[in-house]
Structure formats: structure tokens, C-alpha cells
Amino acid sequence: FYYILDCCIFYYYIKRFTMQINRIEPSYWFNNLNENNLQLLIYGYDLNCANVQTTIPHNSLSMIEGLKGKYLFLDLSLKNNINAGLYDITIISKNEKISIPYEIKNKRSWNKQCKATISNEDVVYLLMPDRFAKEEPSEQNLQNGNAPSKRHGGSIRGIISNLSYLYDLGVTALWLTPVFKNSEYHGYSITDFYEIEPCLGFLEDYQNLVKQAHEHGIKIIMDVIFNHCSIKHPWLKNPPLDNCFNGQEGQVIKKTNYKVTTIFDPYASQSDRDYTVKGWFTEEMPDLNIENDFVFKYLTQMTIWWIETTGIDAIRMDTYLYSDFEKMIEWQNIITKEYPGFSVIAETWVPEAAYTAKIQNEAYKRLNSNTSLIVMDFAFQKRIESCFDRVKCYDKEGQIYNHFVYDYLYNCPKETLAFLDNHDLPRWYSQIKNKAKLKQALAILLTVPRIPQIYYGTEFLFSSDGNGYGDGNYRIDAFEALLPPEKFVRYEIARYLKIILNWRKKSKAISIGTMKHFIPQDGVYVYFRSYKDEKVMILANCTSKTSAIDLSLYKEGIKDYNYGTDVISNKQIYLTNSTLTMKKNAIFILELQK
């Protein structure tokens, strides 16, 4: 007993008074970046009063001690044209010396004249890795049966095995909810910004996903969060520095008021604005203080590390407005300087077009050239849901028309992401429950001047699972739906989407063309998309009755075109007659021909 006790005391003494190095973030870095200042966060023990030497070529070196001797910050001003290779970092403290190899890799090549990496030519497919596909149809990683709030066993390898399906469907970009190491199945409670969630796979799997997606002509959008992390993140127990987090005074936690309108509200009180930006997102998601120079630098370098390490094409920034707006602009300017045209999709959850436009306009006043900031069009989502809702409302078909009337408010209206639903909303089909209306809504989504986003499972007529309300019920498994090889034969909406999406890839009128629309007449909304000699006419009967359309109202758009070929049915529709009959909730996408 005494021998064991002595050993424990000796071990504690050694651990307590011996310097240790546990981790360095980022674990490696890259040469030839425009930003030549490198901040290294060294995790360890007994790092007080340490000195650092390194063979990494640098102009200057400075150190800051973190709290409790558990962290050391090393700031290096790197020399230009450093060769890729292994270098040494040596830490000396109390007559102890630890040398650590540190790798500098070659920077990813990037076309400085590159256009936006995500544009109107793309169709974004949003999926949740835990719920989309398994590597094998097994019970691996399954927790608590199929409880909506638990892990269901989807994986990155499962996504890879279905890339051919996604390519055949016609999508060009995949937005995965966060794949970082996480305390929750959905990925938005990050516990480690430099690791892949083990339940989803490994870094090599994610790198392979990007590589194989690119081989299929599909881009990868990484979901990132700067506003908050998980309460289980190690910084909560042992923060590297004071002021890494907002919204906590002793044991009292200040939660956000979720009113992002305060950011640009000219009459908002400062206290309301502070609660929006500095409050915790939930009691399990502490608010990161990105005004702290260390936190901002950490997150910025983390972004570059993932872009370089994986080859991703764009970032979707979660809770964009809950972070400090000016710091978000500063961050994107740094990223754009390294990667011109690299797209950022900002979650801007305000269901008013004027406010969404204000966000984009204010951002572009501050952003450098060659920047691509895409805002999310929640206003369109509300309008198109209202248009097709069974509950009677005044001027339903005018909801969509009126939405586009206000595109003059935007700096660039085409740099907006439109959608019927997403992972935070009830599924559109569960709200509307009508296949004809779903088809019509999808056709409009895919032909208006927006970047369209489709939520996984829409092609399988997914709705909420009926077991209650909440986010978990909107995120049901696609495992069984993906199993049959005859996917498009079995699923009517999948077949429908495949036709439109693959046609859309070739249509310049839809991807980059102009739009002309007409005031809805008797529930029918008509608009044209044009590019050079290509013209497309879209007619949507938003009523529940057969309509006789007076084609003379649209002479300005039809001009001398005689007929159009319907993209969906491949039938020819003649425009020389005075009227055109459309069934209820029908839609035509006509490629006009003379």
C-alpha cells in the first residue's frame, strides 16, 4: 500500500513540476501565404516562464503565456519563400528542453482571376451527414434507437458511396452540416475545431470526399461556426486567456435575444444589440468573443488550414449576424486575399427582403474586390410557402411576384441562396402535402434568379416523421431511400428533379440570364429568362382550377417566337393561339423557338 502511495505521489510530483507539451494548433502550416503572421497555440503543462527557439525562418518572434501555465502563444512573422519541410520548435523552461518537429507544407495553387466558387450556375444540395447515408446499412454508431436527438449512424463514407446518385440527380454542390468533432449529432456544438467527428469518419475520409466529389463535378461547402462552440469544448474549463467568451458573469449566463434585426436597426438600444451578439446561443453553446484578437486569429487560421488541407470550395457561415459584423468582414477580406472568388454563404435569418439586402449591401461596402458573399433568402422561403399554403390568403400568387419586385434593394440579387426548406425548418412537403404544388414550387425555385438549395430527402417526399416537433423531426434518415438501385424509377419527385437539374446545367438563360416578369393574372404568374438568343418562358398556374391564359398579355416576352418545348414533358406548346389552357397547379418551362 505504501509503495503504491509513494508511486502516486512521485507521479503527481513529476506531472506537477515537469513541463509537458500535449498539442500545437495548427498542427502544420503553409508557405507563400499573403498573411505571413503565424499564431501557434501550444497546449501543455508548466509552461510559465518558457523560452522558445525555432528553426522556422522568421523575422520576429514573440510569446504570450496563457492562463494557469497550460498554454503558450507563439507569434511568428514568417519570412517570404520558406521551403516546405520539417522544422524544429524548442521550448526551454526551468532547465528543461522539449523539441517538437513542425511541418511547413506548400500552399494550394489558386487561380487569382477565379470567379465566384459558388454561383447561379450551381444547385446546392444540403444534407446532414449523420442522417444521409451509412457506409453500410448497419447499426454502426446508432444511439438510442432512432431518437430524433441522437446519432443515427450516417457517415462521410456513406456520402462518398452515393456521389454517383447525386451527380445523376444533377446537383453541383454539397453543403454538409458541420463535420467537426462535436457533442451533438447535428454538428453545431463543436468541441474541437481541428478534428473530424469520429462518428462520421476521419480527416482522410473528408479529404477523399472532396477529391471524389470534384471528380464527379460536385463542389463541397463546409459549414463553419464562429459565433459559438459546445459547452464541452476544453476552453470552457480552462480558457487560454481571459475574455475568450461573452455573456457569462460568474454563474449567470446571458442568452441571446435572437433578434438579429438589432444589428442595423437605427433605433435599437445598445443593450438589445449586445444581447443579440454577446449572448449565448443556448445554455449548451457558449458565445465565442471574436473581438478577442487571439480568438479571431485562431478561427481565421483554422479556416485557412481547412481550405488548404481538404480543398473545399466554399464556406457556409452559421449564425453570421450573431457574430461581430465588422470582424466577419475582416475575416472574409483575409480569406479573399488568399483565395480570390472563394464564396461565403452567410446565414442571414430575417424573413424580410429589405433587411437581407441591407446585410449584403453593408457587407459589400466593406469587402474587397474578388469577393463572393451569398446571403440566404429566408424571405423567399416564407413567400413561396405562403403562396402554396392551403389556408386562404389574399393575393397568394402575388407573394412570389412581389418578392422579386424588391430585388432593386440588393447590391447583387443573384448572390442570394433561395430554398423551400432546410434543416432548421419544418419540411415543405409536411406543410403543403400536395405533390403538384411541390413540383411547381421546385420548378420556380430552379428557374428564378437565385442560387437554389434543395434539402436532402425532398426528392423522396420526406416530411416530418410525425413523432413530435423540433429540429430532430425535420432531419429524418435517408438510409432506406438511397438503397434501391432504381432510385429514379421509384421516386416521382426524384425523376422530376433529375430532368430539371440536368437541363438547368446547360441553360445560360437560367444560370446567368436576365429576368422579365408580369403582374399575375387570375392566379397565373409568368416570367421570362433570357441570355443572347436563348429564351425561356415559365408559366405557373398557382390556383386550384384550370385556367385559360390570354397569351396576348405576354407579347412583349414572346415576340416572334412561335412555340416552346416544355422541359418537363418534352411536348411542344404553340404560342400562336390566343389562349393557352393550364391545369390547376401546373407549370410549364418552355424553351422558346422561332
Side-chain angles (χ1 to χ4, degrees), residues 394-450:
Y394 175 72
D395 192 25
K396 288 195 293 185
E397 64 283 349
Q399 295 283 324
I400 304 173
Y401 168 83
N402 288 334
H403 180 70
F404 292 108
V405 163
Y406 295 105
D407 270 14
Y408 72 89
L409 294 169
Y410 286 91
N411 180 76
C412 186
K414 289 186 178 181
E415 291 194 5
T416 52
L417 188 82
F419 48 95
L420 304 185
D421 53 15
N422 65 20
H423 59 301
D424 289 323
L425 296 167
R427 284 187 173 271
W428 204 83
Y429 187 66
S430 70
Q431 302 289 98
I432 307 303
K433 300 184 184 301
N434 184 300
K435 281 197 291 186
K437 290 181 179 181
L438 175 61
K439 286 182 176 181
Q440 194 177 61
L442 286 168
I444 292 171
L445 172 69
L446 294 168
T447 54
V448 293
R450 291 292 189 269

Side-chain angles (χ1 to χ4, degrees), residues 60-246:
S60 64
L61 180 155
S62 62
M63 294 174 296
I64 299 174
E65 292 180 7
L67 298 178
K68 301 179 182 179
K70 295 184 176 181
Y71 302 94
L72 187 65
F73 297 91
L74 179 62
D75 287 312
L76 291 166
S77 175
L78 302 177
K79 289 188 175 181
N80 295 327
N81 302 317
I82 297 175
N83 291 325
L86 282 178
Y87 296 88
D88 287 329
I89 298 174
T90 302
I91 302 172
I92 305 166
S93 178
K94 300 175 184 177
N95 299 319
E96 296 179 85
K97 182 188 290 187
I98 297 177
S99 289
I100 308 160
Y102 194 82
E103 186 176 9
I104 300 293
K105 299 186 176 186
N106 285 319
K107 179 184 182 292
R108 172 184 177 185
S109 62
W110 191 269
N111 182 1
K112 292 185 178 180
Q113 304 302 317
C114 183
K115 64 178 183 178
T117 53
I118 299 294
S119 71
N120 295 84
E121 297 180 29
D122 291 302
V123 174
V124 177
Y125 187 91
L126 164 60
L127 62 85
M128 183 162 284
D130 179 65
R131 305 290 166 92
F132 182 67
K134 298 180 181 181
E135 182 179 3
E136 295 178 357
S138 67
E139 296 301 307
Q140 183 183 6
N141 297 336
L142 193 63
Q143 294 181 0
N144 298 334
N146 285 323
S149 61
K150 300 299 179 181
R151 298 191 191 277
H152 288 192
S155 68
I156 295 170
R157 292 184 184 182
I159 300 169
I160 293 171
S161 66
N162 283 279
L163 284 173
S164 293
Y165 158 70
L166 294 166
Y167 171 78
D168 289 341
L169 185 63
V171 300
T172 66
L174 293 185
W175 158 20
L176 282 62
T177 55
V179 295
F180 303 101
K181 193 172 182 181
N182 221 274
S183 59
E184 297 289 346
Y185 75 93
H186 49 66
Y188 291 98
S189 291
I190 296 174
T191 58
D192 192 322
F193 284 94
Y194 279 98
E195 295 287 341
I196 295 289
E197 168 53 48
C199 291
L200 300 178
F202 304 96
L203 175 59
E204 294 78 9
D205 295 325
Y206 191 78
Q207 290 171 316
N208 192 29
L209 169 64
V210 176
K211 179 177 180 292
Q212 292 201 35
H214 287 171
E215 291 173 358
H216 282 82
I218 297 174
K219 304 168 186 176
I220 296 294
I221 302 167
M222 175 174 266
D223 207 334
V224 177
I225 309 103
F226 277 14
N227 179 66
H228 55 266
C229 63
S230 170
I231 200 169
K232 296 179 181 178
H233 193 288
W235 286 359
L236 265 293
K237 196 173 284 186
N238 292 297
L241 293 171
D242 288 326
N243 201 29
C244 288
F245 294 94
N246 291 316

Side-chain angles (χ1 to χ4, degrees), residues 564-580:
T565 302
D566 182 34
V567 169
I568 301 164
S569 66
N570 203 34
K571 293 180 179 179
Q572 291 183 350
I573 307 293
Y574 284 90
L575 305 173
T576 51
N577 300 324
S578 58
T579 60
L580 174 65

